[in-house]
Amino acid sequence: MITLITGGSKCGKSALAEKIAGNSSGRKYYIATMRPYGDEALKAIERHREMRSGGGFETIEKYTDLHEINFTERGTVLLECMGNLCANEMFREKIVNPVKKIVNDVKYLEKNSERLVIVTNELGADGIMYAPETMAYISYMAEINRNIAEFSENVIECVYGIPVVLKGELNC
C-alpha cells in the first residue's frame, strides 16, 4: 500500500508521514535522500532525525538507485523525500530524465514492503518561469508525482499542517 503525501515547504508533511508510518507495527525503515550539502541541509537532516527519534525507524541513507536497497525483512518504508531524490538522479552523470527510473524504484519499494509512505513536494504552482534546469526539475517532479499518485492507494495534501485527503483515506 502506498500513501503519497504532498504539500508546500514546511507545511507539516514530514510530521504527518512519520505519524502514519510510525503507527505501523513491525519493522520501520526511513529512507533519507537528502545529501548533506551545506549548513541548511545539515540543519534539516538534524531536525528530521529529532522528529523521528524514539519512533523505531532504521535509517537508510540512499541518495539514488533505491532499487539497490535490500531490506532485512518486509515492513513499513518512509521515503523522505521525492524532491531530493529527483534532483539527485537528475544531476548525476548517466541519467538525463529521471522519471521512469524513479517510478520503477518506487514500484520496487512497494513490492518489497508492507506499507510505503512517500513525502513529495508541490512545485510549480507559482507560475514563475525559472532557469531551464529548474523548469526541467519542476516538470520531472510533476510527472513523477502524477505517475505515483495514479497507483497509490492514498494521496494526501498537507495544507498548513492540515491533511486533506485527495484519494483514499487517512490511516494514522
Side-chain angles (χ1 to χ4, degrees), residues 15-170:
L16 178 62
E18 289 176 24
K19 183 177 180 183
I20 291 170
N23 286 338
S24 299
S25 58
R27 217 53 196 264
K28 290 180 252 186
Y29 303 95
Y30 182 103
I31 301 174
T33 63
M34 180 182 274
R35 289 187 186 271
Y37 290 131
D39 290 340
E40 288 302 313
L42 292 171
K43 287 177 189 174
I45 290 167
E46 186 56 35
R47 185 178 71 250
H48 283 254
R49 284 181 179 150
E50 287 175 19
M51 283 173 58
R52 69 178 180 272
S53 68
F57 287 98
E58 177 183 329
T59 300
I60 301 168
E61 293 190 20
K62 188 76 170 137
Y63 312 121
T64 59
D65 300 317
L66 301 184
H67 64 276
E68 294 176 351
I69 298 172
N70 292 314
F71 298 104
T72 54
E73 63 184 76
R74 289 174 60 88
T76 297
V77 174
L78 194 165
L79 173 59
E80 172 88 30
C81 95
M82 190 57 64
N84 291 320
L85 178 63
C86 179
N88 295 341
E89 291 286 7
M90 186 177 166
F91 293 108
R92 61 193 295 188
E93 287 182 31
K94 298 178 185 177
I95 304 297
V96 176
N97 180 331
V99 175
K100 185 176 180 182
K101 181 175 187 309
I102 288 173
V103 170
N104 285 337
D105 280 355
V106 167
K107 289 179 179 180
Y108 168 83
L109 293 177
E110 178 187 29
K111 187 171 71 171
N112 289 282
S113 64
E114 296 293 328
R115 183 177 205 179
L116 175 58
V117 180
I118 302 170
V119 176
T120 191
N121 296 299
E122 181 63 38
L123 301 173
D126 59 13
I128 298 172
M129 294 299 294
Y130 295 95
E133 295 85 6
T134 304
M135 293 305 295
Y137 172 76
I138 291 169
S139 178
Y140 292 150
M141 282 294 296
E143 192 173 349
I144 290 165
N145 288 340
R146 278 194 311 271
N147 277 275
I148 295 171
E150 187 175 301
F151 59 83
S152 293
E153 286 78 10
N154 306 304
V155 179
I156 302 164
E157 181 179 11
C158 200
V159 181
Y160 307 121
I162 302 166
V164 178
V165 178
L166 303 174
K167 178 181 178 183
E169 59 187 7
L170 180 63

